[in-house]
Amino acid sequence: MAELLSIILAAGEGTRMKSALPKVLHPVGGLPVVSHVLRTVQGFGSKVVVVVGPGHEAVEAAVTRFEAMAHISRQEQRLGTAHAVQQARAAYETAPGHVLVLYADTPLVTAETIGSIVAKLDDGADMVVVGFRPGDPTGYGRLLTEGDRVRAIREHKDATEAERQIGLCNSGIIGFRGDALRGVIDRIGNENAKGEYYLTDAVELATGDGRRVDFIEADAAELVGVDNREKLSEAEATFQQFKRKEIMAAGVTLRDPNSVWFSWDTEIGRDVTIFPNVVFGPGVKIADNVEIRAFCDIEDAVIGKGSSIGPFARIRGGAELGPDVHLGNFVEVKKSKIGAGTKAGHLSYLGDAEIGTKTNIGAGTITCNYDGVNKDKTIIGDNVFIGSNASLVAPVNIGAGAYTASGSVITQDVPADALALGRARQENKPGYAPKLRDRALAKKAAKGK
């Protein structure tokens, strides 16, 4: 494959979004739409130039944050798509291979489509135009074809009535051999209804030069352009459908696929079952054999193998759950590490905590991590029993094997194997926890008889 340069056009104002946020920064699947396009071309090892408009420093920052090697060019006057491409002249004038022109507000274009463009260019085409067939072609440029070649693209406002009956429309995405782009870009004029320099005019110029202009046809669903809130919601819905199919194909059971929402970077292992109405934000990794019950909200979290989460659990802020952890209904975990086999069955908040293995967190437990200014850590050891309705006032350290009585407010460290009674006042009884454990085991054994 020849070296690839991608020019991504991101200079549009996006006035129809009616937003202070530039349209290409609105998220789809938790990722700005421009970053979706960047991510797709990254897969081809492409060099990248992003053309932005004046005052779009936020777009520049988002682009370089996602792709540090991207070059930024500015289109100070919005005079059309060919004029926008010309702002990347320093890159395409020396490009030894192919040049791909894409749009930053078309987040769902697939790697398969990009690969098809590149394959045709490698096969000898001078230009490749991406077409699609929308349900309503009104407003789109039409591809005027002869066999498997394109002879022209006619913008809707400039098209005849006969040309407007053509269903094959222009997506705006065009691939060029580098010499073909250089041969036509400066000859494009602006004699049209809008007085703009259309990149689509490159087709007629190229065919007039005897160059080969091919086209491919892509699914309309992947070519939706996000230029208003309705299109944004349409792109989100399409992304979710793509992601659900990908997740299920990888060995995940979705009890009600349409009610589960994923982020662009959600990673889920095999034999995971996800119940209805679950939302995954960015940064979630889930191991094999996990069960996520209904109405959970999870972001920026790692969940270990064999764990069971929910219903109605919220996990966020860099939470790390080990294997076989159980979090039940109305449990929130934030910026905490929870060891293997630990359980928090009901109604608890565990923030800024480190919790060991095989520990039981009673219903109504709160790690009191914030004093109005600072956030402090709660550390709980292995095999600890935290009684129901306990408030653990950080910073505090509860040793391995310790018990805290129900209804306690724990403000001091609890030694290993101690019983902490923090009701009226905290009282530590060294070595007493094993006695309680033995008593409970004896009671259980007696019931078994």
Side-chain angles (χ1 to χ4, degrees):
M1 186 181 77
E3 185 175 301
L4 184 64
L5 167 68
S6 297
I7 301 174
I8 301 174
L9 305 186
E13 283 284 10
T15 54
R16 283 179 285 182
M17 294 294 289
K18 301 190 185 308
S19 173
L21 187 69
K23 70 174 180 179
V24 300
L25 297 187
H26 283 263
V28 169
L31 186 70
V33 294
V34 63
S35 298
H36 280 276
V37 183
L38 288 166
R39 182 169 175 250
T40 300
V41 299
Q42 280 176 342
F44 292 85
S46 177
K47 295 181 178 178
V48 177
V49 177
V50 180
V51 181
V52 303
H56 279 189
E57 289 80 8
V59 177
E60 296 180 26
V63 167
T64 53
R65 191 161 52 243
F66 193 84
E67 174 50 83
M69 300 301 292
H71 179 75
I72 303 293
S73 294
R74 295 177 182 83
Q75 186 185 23
E76 298 296 339
Q77 293 179 288
R78 295 179 176 87
L79 302 179
T81 51
H83 178 258
V85 171
Q86 287 174 332
Q87 309 316 300
R89 184 182 301 276
Y92 68 69
E93 278 195 335
T94 58
H98 307 325
V99 181
L100 187 61
V101 179
L102 306 102
Y103 293 81
D105 63 355
T106 310
L108 303 180
V109 61
T110 63
E112 289 75 17
T113 293
I114 302 302
S116 296
I117 298 170
V118 171
K120 279 190 170 290
L121 293 171
D122 285 343
D123 189 47
D126 293 292
M127 291 177 58
V128 180
V129 178
V130 179
F132 71 112
R133 297 182 186 274
D136 179 6
T138 303
Y140 292 104
R142 307 306 204 277
L143 299 193
L144 310 184
T145 61
E146 292 179 355
D148 57 357
R149 302 284 187 266
V150 182
R151 60 180 176 82
I153 300 175
R154 194 77 72 234
E155 295 298 326
H156 183 86
K157 290 185 176 181
D158 302 307
T160 66
E161 283 303 317
E163 290 170 340
R164 290 181 181 181
Q165 301 307 307
I166 296 171
L168 185 61
C169 295
N170 174 40
S171 71
I173 299 172
I174 304 178
F176 297 85
R177 295 179 69 86
D179 61 325
L181 175 61
R182 291 186 287 271
V184 299
I185 188 68
D186 291 329
R187 293 156 54 196
I188 294 173
N190 66 342
E191 296 177 2
N192 51 63
K194 294 182 70 175
E196 293 186 353
Y197 297 89
Y198 293 142
L199 185 63
T200 50
D201 288 349
V203 172
E204 283 187 273
L205 291 170
T207 55
D209 294 341
R211 291 184 179 273
R212 172 183 154 190
V213 182
D214 287 1
F215 72 94
I216 64 171
E217 190 171 335
D219 189 335
E222 71 175 86
L223 298 171
V224 59
V226 176
D227 58 5
N228 59 42
R229 304 285 182 156
E230 182 179 356
K231 291 296 185 181
L232 179 65
S233 67
E234 183 180 332
E236 183 70 50
T238 301
F239 168 82
Q240 293 299 332
Q241 291 293 350
F242 287 169
K243 192 69 175 179
R244 289 163 189 151
K245 289 180 180 179
E246 174 191 318
I247 292 289
M248 289 188 286
V252 176
T253 296
L254 303 182
R255 290 288 182 87
D256 179 18
N258 289 337
S259 71
V260 179
W261 288 67
F262 294 102
S263 183
W264 68 280
D265 59 349
T266 306
E267 297 180 19
I268 303 181
R270 291 186 177 182
D271 295 315
V272 171
T273 299
I274 301 173
F275 284 65
N277 299 297
V278 174
V279 176
F280 296 99
V284 174
K285 295 182 179 180
I286 298 176
D288 297 345
N289 301 109
V290 170
E291 181 177 80
I292 310 292
R293 300 186 70 84
F295 294 100
C296 289
D297 189 304
I298 305 171
E299 64 177 311
D300 189 18
V302 176
I303 299 176
K305 183 176 181 179
S307 293
S308 174
I309 309 299
F312 294 99
R314 188 181 185 204
I315 307 171
R316 62 189 178 93
E320 297 181 22
L321 278 56
D324 300 312
V325 167
H326 169 66
L327 301 180
N329 50 289
F330 303 105
V331 174
E332 180 176 359
V333 177
K334 190 272 295 183
K335 200 177 179 180
S336 296
K337 294 182 179 180
I338 300 180
T342 286
K343 299 178 180 180
H346 329 271
L347 303 162
S348 296
Y349 171 69
L350 306 174
D352 297 284
E354 290 186 11
I355 303 174
T357 62
K358 297 183 178 179
T359 282
N360 183 84
I361 306 296
T365 296
I366 299 172
T367 58
C368 305
N369 58 331
Y370 184 51
D371 63 5
V373 178
N374 301 302
K375 291 189 176 180
D376 292 302
K377 182 173 287 189
T378 298
I379 299 176
I380 303 173
D382 299 337
N383 298 297
V384 171
F385 183 91
I386 303 295
S388 298
N389 199 31
S391 296
L392 312 178
V393 183
V396 68
N397 190 325
I398 301 174
Y403 269 56
T404 67
S406 297
S408 292
V409 177
I410 304 300
T411 59
Q412 302 173 32
D413 288 351
V414 179
D417 290 326
L419 168 64
L421 300 170
R423 292 166 180 153
R425 61 184 178 84
Q426 183 173 330
E427 180 183 354
N428 294 339
K429 295 187 175 182
Y432 199 82
K435 296 178 182 179
L436 289 180
R437 201 161 14 247
D438 291 343
R439 186 188 303 170
L441 290 171
K443 186 176 181 181
K444 182 179 180 181
K447 284 183 177 179
K449 293 179 181 177

